[in-house]
Amino acid sequence: MGFDYANRLNMLPPYLFAEIEDKVNKKRHEGVDIIDFGIGDPDLPTPSPIIEFIQKELENPDNHRYPSSAGEAGTRKAIAEWYQKRFGVEVDPNGEVAILIGSKEGLANICRAFVNPGEKVLSPDPAYPVYAQGAALLTDAVPVRFPLLAEKGFLPDIESLPTDARMIYLNYPNNPTGAVCDEVFLLSASRWCVETDTIFCYDNAYSEMTFDDYVAPSALQVAQGDGTIEFGSLSKTFNMTGYRIGYAVGDADLISGLKKVKSQIDSGAPKFLQRSVIMSLGQYKNAEKPQMVKDNIAVYQERRDVLVNGLRKLGFKLDLPKGTFYLWMKVDGPSIKFADEMLKAGIVVTPGIGFGQNGEGYVRMATTQSVQRIEEALERMAKVL
Ligand SMILES: Cc1ncc(COP(=O)(O)O)c(C=O)c1O
């Protein structure tokens, strides 16, 4: 006799990524050498000054105790100072900043705080699955997807969106497409949210993972009135996905609701990690990326260039993304079939359908492999194709 899941859990679509993981593990067991472009998880280590800082902090007994679930005061202040330096935005560290256990939980918990069962939640298609699933479906809300299309630069047609939703998620630099936006786009999104009384959740997790001359804006730079909350994270900026530390900044009511939910569920991010936020964001002396971030970005940029050039030589049409470490590549036929073919050659790519219906016909590749492995993968692809 087993226990049935609650209805809301049964509403979740089958987890494609778990199926892929099974297939990949099977191949590994067979002894196939796998080159994995599947997961958006940096292969590079955390910069050593941050590791050394955290090691020291661990020795301080004060850091062994429960943190403040609202976020440690010094950490909230450091984030407010960073928003000033990086985006020129003034925020109140007491009322307008929350500390998260990675931005993922914040993106889901904001829905719990503000969306009632049956209300609509807008999210892009394709998109990071948390908005429609972990956020909307697990809140008994109704996820409504809107298309991101190549011909529109993967930006939504804001004016055509349903006006009766409670909340909208947008994310640039974008996972999975690598698309970026400018302040003019964010301004139009923000105006639309105010006009339609829709809560604006902006996922800026890749704000620092940008290339060439592109600088990612904050939605708070252009926010028109209340109702905007922005999410960010140390995960990608400092190769710290495994630590679980992020932040939310914005409208005081939204931050307060988010903190209220979190105070009932978790007890805050560990203090030694909260202190590492002060240290790492403190590396920014102004809007420019500090050296440790520049070094990191330079590695991803080189890999991006090698992989894009190689794929173009193989006949694929794809843009050089200005943000994120993802390449979003158009393929012939169903994306799962293409991914299966690649796996035969020991190469893991993520089928676009896993990010929504509009992801069909694409695959996503994360540049989390060395240049040498990328070149090897390109050679293998040349043989298979
Ligand atoms: C678009 C986007 N937002 C948020 C996250 C969550 O990051 P974290 O919870 O590590 O801060 C990810 C992780 O891959 C992501 O791709």
Side-chain angles (χ1 to χ4, degrees), residues 146-185:
F146 54 86
L148 301 187
L149 304 173
E151 57 268 30
K152 298 249 165 88
F154 298 108
L155 295 172
D157 183 2
I158 295 281
E159 293 304 322
S160 71
L161 298 177
T163 55
D164 59 346
R166 176 68 170 154
M167 186 174 269
I168 184 170
Y169 289 92
L170 289 174
N171 157 234
Y172 295 94
N174 184 261
N175 175 13
T177 67
V180 296
C181 74
D182 60 13
E183 286 173 40
V184 177
F185 168 78

Side-chain angles (χ1 to χ4, degrees), residues 79 82-83 97-100 102-103 204 207-208 230-234 237 245-249 277 281:
I79 289 169
W82 185 70
Y83 259 76
V97 179
I99 309 302
L100 305 174
S103 61
N204 214 349
S207 68
E208 307 313 289
E230 178 161 291
F231 296 85
S233 171
L234 265 56
T237 311
I245 184 85
Y247 46 85
V249 179
V277 174
L281 292 184

Side-chain angles (χ1 to χ4, degrees), residues 102-104 107 128 131 171 175 203 205-206 233 235-236 244:
S103 61
K104 184 178 187 177
L107 289 160
Y128 183 51
Y131 320 134
N171 157 234
N175 175 13
D203 180 354
Y206 295 90
S233 171
S235 285
K236 311 291 157 98
R244 312 312 301 137

Side-chain angles (χ1 to χ4, degrees), residues 1 12 27 62 73 75 80 101 122 134 174 195 209 242 258 262 264 268 275 303 336 350 364 368:
M1 205 177 68
L12 294 174
K27 279 275 166 206
D62 182 49
T75 308
I101 307 173
L122 298 171
N174 184 261
E195 277 163 26
M209 197 177 251
L258 177 59
K262 282 175 59 56
Q264 299 293 328
R275 297 215 165 126
R303 294 172 175 183
I336 292 182
T350 308
R364 190 192 76 175
T368 50

